[in-house]
Amino acid sequence: MSKTPIIILNYKTYVESTGKNAVQLSKYVQEASEESGINMAIAPQAVDLYPIINEVDIPVYSQHMDAITPGGHTGSTLPEAIKETGVTGTLINHSEQRLTIADIDAVVEKTKDLELTSVLCTNNVKTSAAAASFNPDYIAIEPPELIGTGIPVSQANPEIVENTVNEIHKINKDINVLCGAGISTGEDMKAALELGSQGVLLASGIIKADDQKQALLDLVSLI
């Protein structure tokens, strides 16, 4: 797996990253990626996946998929349906869409069957170490109390990032670790990489910026 730094932008359900705005934002991300030479990926809402995938040539992730098989699961997100959109992979167990241990196991295994990249979200060192046993492609450490605060975990609690990387790599050195929660500036990105993470998973710091593309370029300006 590539060790080039990566940024994954999670669109959540912000107006600024929904519908036509989501398509335009995706184009900004692609432009910023091409101009900076840094790998950037996006995770839009499920309803926006098809139109975005037809407009850009960067990795696109689903925000979620359920541990279900085809059948009577109204309102759920079927992994096979997500695969059909053409996505690269999916987020799993985001703090705003928690799963049980059994469902995490099932979804990670399903991503392997469907040849999708898995980004498994965790909230502390212990759960990160446990998550490593599922062998996802990425583990994204995001303390929920810092999400959306503008206070980066890489500065507020750098030990959690460094210790998470160490514990995960004791179990599987091939799992890449992402740093999330409060990341928004070039200093945040640089600190996250210096602590051993492979990149960042972020949202509001970019999506709510007055100039989204410039915010992305500023994010990678120090690496």
Side-chain angles (χ1 to χ4, degrees):
M1 186 175 296
S2 171
K3 292 299 180 182
T4 304
I6 184 171
I7 294 166
I8 301 178
L9 183 59
N10 178 17
Y11 287 13
K12 297 197 175 184
T13 57
Y14 292 121
V15 172
E16 294 89 344
S17 54
T18 299
K20 292 180 180 179
N21 290 337
V23 175
Q24 183 58 64
L25 175 56
S26 302
K27 293 178 180 179
Y28 289 151
V29 176
Q30 178 167 309
E31 291 170 6
S33 179
E34 291 171 348
E35 291 177 22
S36 66
I38 300 297
N39 292 332
M40 298 185 188
I42 54 178
Q45 297 178 63
V47 295
D48 292 321
L49 290 174
Y50 265 124
I52 286 173
I53 284 171
N54 291 329
E55 293 289 338
V56 298
D57 187 25
I58 54 176
V60 180
Y61 291 76
S62 168
Q63 294 180 345
H64 173 74
M65 60 171 60
D66 289 299
I68 59 171
T69 55
H73 303 285
T74 302
S76 299
T77 305
L78 180 70
E80 286 81 0
I82 292 296
K83 172 70 174 182
E84 283 294 313
T85 67
V87 298
T88 300
T90 186
L91 306 184
I92 302 168
N93 194 50
H94 189 275
S95 64
E96 295 159 354
Q97 193 65 261
R98 287 293 188 209
L99 296 174
T100 65
I101 292 295
D103 284 351
I104 290 172
D105 187 17
V107 173
V108 172
E109 288 303 309
K110 178 59 72 171
T111 62
K112 295 174 184 178
D113 293 342
L114 296 175
E115 298 183 340
L116 295 173
T117 299
S118 53
V119 182
L120 178 53
C121 301
T122 57
N123 62 353
N124 58 46
V125 177
K126 288 183 178 180
T127 58
S128 299
S133 65
F134 298 121
N135 296 310
D137 297 301
Y138 293 90
I139 290 177
I141 174 67
E142 288 192 302
E145 65 273 13
L146 295 178
I147 292 175
T149 64
I151 303 171
V153 62
S154 58
Q155 295 182 29
N157 193 352
E159 294 82 7
I160 194 173
V161 180
E162 193 169 26
N163 292 340
T164 292
V165 172
N166 291 336
E167 291 303 312
I168 287 172
H169 288 169
K170 286 179 184 178
I171 297 167
N172 185 341
K173 62 181 177 60
D174 293 326
I175 297 174
N176 285 323
V177 181
L178 302 179
C179 177
I183 303 294
S184 61
T185 70
E187 289 81 5
D188 300 338
M189 178 79 182
K190 183 173 182 287
L193 296 177
E194 289 175 346
L195 290 168
S197 72
Q198 182 62 29
V200 296
L201 172 65
L202 74 167
S204 57
I206 301 300
I207 293 169
K208 294 289 188 177
D210 293 334
D211 187 332
Q212 296 166 327
K213 179 181 172 182
Q214 188 58 49
L216 283 164
L217 292 173
D218 291 345
L219 185 70
V220 300
S221 62
L222 300 180
I223 59 174

